[in-house]
Amino acid sequence: MIRAYFFDLDDTLVDTYGQLVSQAHLDAAEAMTRAGFPYSPEETYHIRLRLHQQYPRDSMEKRLVVEFGKVITEAIQNASYQAFFQRSIPKDFVPFPATIPLLRQLKAQDVTLFLITSGVASTQEEKVRILGIEPFFEKILYLSSSESQCKQEGFSQLMQQYSFQPNEVICVGNRLDSEIQAGNRLGLLTIYLKHGEFVQLRPQDPSEVPSLEIDHLEALPEKLHAFKKKVK
């Protein structure tokens, strides 16, 4: 019996890629130029997009150092990270149309919902507040991307705290190399939402292969129902 869902936030419950990412890259490019990066903001913006497309698994700051060496000072790295991740969220930031109905439906089924999200805590908290989704979740974990806190640690913490068995938890997320890998390593049923900033990723090993794949969040209930019938 399913007792809990572990949800990712960005590009899982909300189209962060479509609503925020382009502007975040623009802001980071301008901040890098101000910090001494020897390219114009427009050139820097396109450099960032190219590096993300080529190396989506790596942090932007790591790839910048590899690409430009000593030109990338600590000040430029900090400017890049802070401008991209620590930012004000617009008031018109909205969830996917299917998000609220799905969360309501799951709550009505008497399962416990959890949100596990990575980034700068203050920014992620603001996203959750503006989206109005906090009341749906038993607990929200804000993991720090700068401290390399991984989703597997967060999942393990929740499973121990609430005495969940692996076959009682469903993990839903959009990154094969993050929450899907974490869920698989813990034996959870993993649902991959193929959308957003990291959609170009392909599984590198069996731990990144999801149990189920969906293109849209509204497809989750039907796809999960069909899967359960198939495995009975």
Side-chain angles (χ1 to χ4, degrees):
M1 182 181 74
I2 300 301
R3 295 176 56 202
Y5 280 75
F6 292 172
F7 279 99
D8 172 52
L9 176 62
D10 294 304
D11 289 326
T12 298
L13 297 178
V14 56
D15 184 16
T16 304
Y17 179 71
Q19 296 183 82
L20 297 182
V21 169
S22 180
Q23 185 62 52
H25 276 300
L26 284 169
D27 293 345
E30 292 175 355
M32 288 172 61
T33 299
R34 289 195 299 270
F37 191 55
Y39 293 87
S40 71
E42 182 179 359
E43 291 171 322
T44 305
Y45 172 74
H46 289 291
I47 287 169
R48 292 179 62 89
L49 294 185
R50 174 177 61 80
L51 291 178
H52 175 69
Q53 285 296 319
Q54 291 179 329
Y55 308 101
R57 292 173 181 268
D58 291 345
S59 76
M60 180 60 62
E61 291 67 44
K62 174 182 177 181
R63 291 314 313 181
L64 286 166
V65 170
V66 170
E67 186 96 353
F68 296 98
K70 294 181 179 179
V71 169
I72 306 298
T73 63
E74 185 174 344
I76 292 173
Q77 292 182 59
N78 289 338
S80 169
Y81 181 87
Q82 293 296 327
F84 189 84
F85 287 105
Q86 190 166 341
R87 54 193 303 102
S88 295
I89 306 302
K91 302 304 180 186
D92 59 355
F93 188 58
V94 294
F96 286 125
T99 295
I100 302 301
L102 175 63
L103 296 178
R104 284 179 178 151
Q105 178 182 346
L106 294 176
K107 288 285 283 185
Q109 295 173 5
D110 201 28
V111 295
T112 309
L113 307 182
F114 298 86
L115 184 64
I116 304 94
T117 180
S118 298
V120 173
S122 59
T123 302
Q124 299 305 97
E125 288 170 0
E126 188 177 5
K127 289 176 184 176
V128 169
R129 180 181 59 79
I130 292 174
L131 293 171
I133 58 175
E134 184 173 6
F136 291 103
F137 296 101
E138 171 75 16
K139 189 169 186 176
I140 299 176
L141 292 185
Y142 296 99
L143 306 179
S144 172
S145 55
S146 65
E147 297 175 6
S148 299
Q149 291 181 299
C150 70
K151 292 288 178 73
Q152 189 170 337
E153 293 174 6
F155 292 177
S156 295
Q157 175 186 326
L158 292 173
M159 292 180 71
Q160 292 173 12
Q161 181 178 352
Y162 291 88
S163 300
F164 293 137
Q165 297 302 311
N167 64 352
E168 296 175 330
V169 180
I170 292 175
C171 163
V172 186
N174 76 299
R175 285 195 64 167
L176 297 175
D177 62 340
S178 181
E179 53 272 355
I180 298 304
Q181 182 183 72
N184 284 336
R185 285 176 173 174
L186 293 171
L188 314 184
L189 191 148
T190 54
I191 300 179
Y192 169 55
L193 177 60
K194 191 176 181 181
H195 173 84
E197 189 178 4
F198 298 94
V199 73
Q200 72 269 42
L201 292 182
R202 296 294 179 269
Q204 286 192 340
D205 59 60
S207 72
E208 295 185 356
V209 178
S211 309
L212 292 172
E213 180 178 310
I214 56 177
D215 293 321
H216 305 284
L217 194 61
E218 54 264 36
L220 189 153
E222 183 178 347
K223 196 74 176 276
L224 183 59
H225 178 70
F227 177 80
K228 289 178 178 178
K229 287 182 64 176
K230 183 178 179 181
V231 298
K232 278 185 178 179

